Amino acid sequence: MSQTNNPTTRSSSNTIAIVIIASLFFIFGFVTWINGALIPFMKTINELTDAQSYLVASASYISFVVMALPASYILNRIGYREGMSLGLFIMAIGALVFIPAANARTYWVFLCGIFLQGTGMTILQTAANPYITILGPIESGAKRIAIMGIANKVAGALGSLIFGALLLSGIDKVKEKLATASAEETTQLLDTMADSVLMPYLTMAGVLFILALLIRKAPLPHVEAAPLEPSKEGETAKKNIFQFPHLWMGVLTLFVYVGAEVIAGDTIIAYGISLNFNAEDAKFFTTFTLMAMVATYALGVVLIPKYIKQVNALKISAALGIIFSILILSTTGFTSVLFVASLGIANALVWPAVWPLTLEGLGKFTKTASALLIMAISGGAIIPPLYGRLVDVNKHELISNGVQQADALATAATASYWILIPCYTIILFFALWGHKIKSWRKR
């Protein structure tokens, strides 16, 4: 790392930097976790299937695939501070796109706005995650990222509650009216419902524009990753990222992890509704997941690395993910919803632990590796729609076998959570063995 040599000054500047980066993670969380409310909202106003509605998550997370490497290039050209400012500005533009999208009630325009916000978050995440990881000792990287996680998930809980209240209030009554409404009445009801996004997103755009200007003056110390360790005798010097198998295992691990995390947070409201909970009650379910994550993040801040190594925290998290997934499949009703929320406990320390375990020893390849890890966030674009597709297929099969539609949806929604088990199994493999594979074996 390259920082000032005065320990007191370095500690003070690091603290300020942690607070600034935490504020950015707060923004990530707020914008990302409102998807839990947007999914049932978009499904209603655009009359979508379950699989189509989960494209809300896809539009956000697919941007991490498309923009991660360009974001790395941008950051190399303009630096962290300007890059973060640019990311906030792009997010603000994305929020403004919701206004014409609501006026036209056109789903693809909504998706464009969500994609733009995801693009801005990609630039922010590509800068913030490696920055906070290498801001101090790599052994305590998970602790610093856990602090970021608290800011992220508290914001997510607030965003979910606020947007749940704004977008889902009265949705049950609207659905009842739609069942008997004429074509003209249906259009009027849905147009009125769509208008409820105008003020929240206009406010969000204004806040993001202001933050984009303020971040330009932020006092962020300069940091760089430690140089590569010299090659051992008989080993070939590392010349490219393809010579680090643990990096690619880390990318795969984050891919399945983000998919599992998004399923836990973004499907729980719709899952509760499928189990016949009304939307007024179900809108709080995402908050259960996020609060479980915040509590576990707090444990991580206290315990890592003094009492528990970050790799052991990852092993425990993966094992809990498998256990809770099995319990979701084995239970019904509110108990099953609580086990979905409990996935927040299993998920919390995965991201904080995978980053330092993956970036350790990468030296000059750290920035490129970080872009690849950010691309892995695309798991949130692919795995949740697969869950939605499973729900649709299972539901239609049950209905064709004579099961009532409401019962078929509830059964299909529960049974489709099996998709989480292979995700957590891959995470467990990385924790046990994958992160240790530092080079390819010679043939």
Side-chain angles (χ1 to χ4, degrees):
M1 273 183 303
S2 173
Q3 294 182 341
T4 178
N5 291 325
N6 186 306
T8 304
T9 304
R10 183 170 65 245
S11 177
S12 176
S13 63
N14 282 1
T15 301
I16 294 170
I18 287 172
V19 172
I20 292 170
I21 302 302
S23 69
L24 294 180
F25 273 84
F26 186 93
I27 294 167
F28 302 156
F30 192 93
V31 175
T32 300
W33 288 87
I34 60 177
N35 285 343
L38 276 178
I39 287 169
F41 176 80
M42 294 294 185
K43 182 181 178 182
T44 300
I45 68 168
N46 291 289
E47 302 173 280
L48 308 171
T49 66
D50 283 287
Q52 289 171 332
S53 68
Y54 286 109
L55 288 175
V56 167
S58 295
S60 177
Y61 289 102
I62 201 66
S63 60
F64 291 101
V65 174
V66 177
M67 293 304 300
L69 288 175
S72 179
Y73 173 79
I74 289 169
L75 292 173
N76 281 327
R77 291 294 298 268
I78 67 177
Y80 285 121
R81 185 182 292 105
E82 295 296 322
M84 291 174 187
S85 178
L86 176 62
L88 290 166
F89 181 80
I90 293 172
M91 289 176 68
I93 298 295
L96 289 178
V97 170
F98 271 69
I99 295 172
N103 289 332
R105 198 160 53 82
T106 305
Y107 190 41
W108 71 265
V109 181
F110 277 115
L111 294 180
C112 286
I114 294 169
F115 178 83
L116 276 173
Q117 289 202 313
T119 297
M121 282 195 290
T122 301
I123 297 173
L124 285 171
Q125 293 254 33
T126 304
N129 282 285
Y131 185 91
I132 203 67
T133 299
I134 63 177
L135 187 62
I138 197 73
E139 295 80 11
S140 59
K143 177 175 183 172
R144 290 187 298 279
I145 299 178
I147 295 172
M148 302 301 106
I150 292 173
N152 183 272
K153 296 311 181 288
V154 168
L158 289 174
S160 177
L161 286 174
I162 292 169
F163 276 74
L166 293 172
L167 303 184
L168 300 182
S169 180
I171 193 173
D172 293 322
K173 292 181 180 178
V174 170
K175 286 182 178 179
E176 289 177 9
K177 292 178 181 178
L178 289 173
T180 57
S182 65
E184 184 178 344
E185 289 171 335
T186 296
T187 300
Q188 185 176 357
L189 281 169
L190 295 181
D191 285 346
T192 301
M193 188 175 175
D195 289 342
S196 63
V197 305
L198 297 179
M199 188 53 65
Y201 276 89
L202 187 60
T203 303
M204 183 190 296
V207 171
L208 290 169
F209 275 127
I210 293 170
L211 290 173
L213 296 174
L214 292 177
I215 200 71
R216 289 175 177 267
K217 303 295 183 182
L220 295 173
H222 178 72
V223 297
E224 291 292 344
L228 284 170
E229 293 182 2
S231 300
K232 296 179 181 178
E233 187 176 347
E235 286 186 349
T236 304
K238 302 290 180 64
K239 296 180 180 180
N240 60 66
I241 57 171
F242 296 103
Q243 294 174 289
F244 297 92
H246 79 286
L247 164 61
W248 299 98
M249 282 301 307
V251 170
L252 175 61
T253 300
L254 280 192
F255 179 88
V256 296
Y257 157 69
V258 175
E261 183 189 52
V262 172
I263 285 177
D266 284 4
T267 70
I268 191 169
I269 293 177
Y271 180 51
I273 292 172
S274 75
L275 297 179
N276 294 321
F277 290 93
N278 62 57
E280 290 295 320
D281 293 330
K283 71 185 181 186
F284 295 106
F285 291 169
T286 296
T287 306
F288 296 166
T289 305
L290 295 175
M291 289 299 96
M293 294 190 79
V294 169
T296 311
Y297 278 133
L299 278 176
V301 172
V302 173
L303 298 177
I304 298 173
K306 186 175 182 180
Y307 299 103
I308 183 172
K309 293 181 180 179
Q310 51 201 14
V311 67
N312 291 332
L314 185 59
K315 292 174 186 176
I316 294 169
S317 297
L320 286 175
I322 294 171
I323 293 169
F324 290 145
S325 298
I326 293 171
L327 289 172
I328 293 168
L329 300 173
S330 307
T331 55
T332 58
F334 189 60
T335 302
S336 187
V337 171
L338 287 178
F339 281 123
V340 176
S342 296
L343 289 172
I345 299 171
N347 290 335
L349 297 180
V350 176
W351 181 277
V354 170
W355 272 85
L357 288 173
T358 303
L359 293 184
E360 185 175 8
L362 290 177
K364 65 182 180 180
F365 300 110
T366 296
K367 290 179 181 176
T368 304
S370 298
L372 292 173
L373 288 170
I374 291 298
M375 289 176 72
I377 295 175
S378 61
I382 295 171
I383 297 176
L386 287 178
Y387 168 82
R389 179 63 177 164
L390 285 172
V391 173
D392 281 340
V393 170
N394 291 338
K395 179 179 67 176
H396 291 312
E397 184 177 344
L398 288 168
I399 290 172
S400 67
N401 290 330
V403 179
Q404 293 293 322
Q405 183 167 341
D407 293 335
L409 176 58
T411 301
T414 302
S416 299
Y417 278 112
W418 70 261
I419 198 172
L420 293 169
I421 295 176
C423 294
Y424 288 112
T425 301
I426 290 171
I427 295 169
L428 183 60
F429 175 83
F430 179 79
L432 292 171
W433 301 289
H435 75 282
K436 299 177 183 178
I437 308 173
K438 301 296 184 181
S439 62
W440 305 106
R441 289 183 179 179
K442 294 181 179 179
R443 293 186 180 275

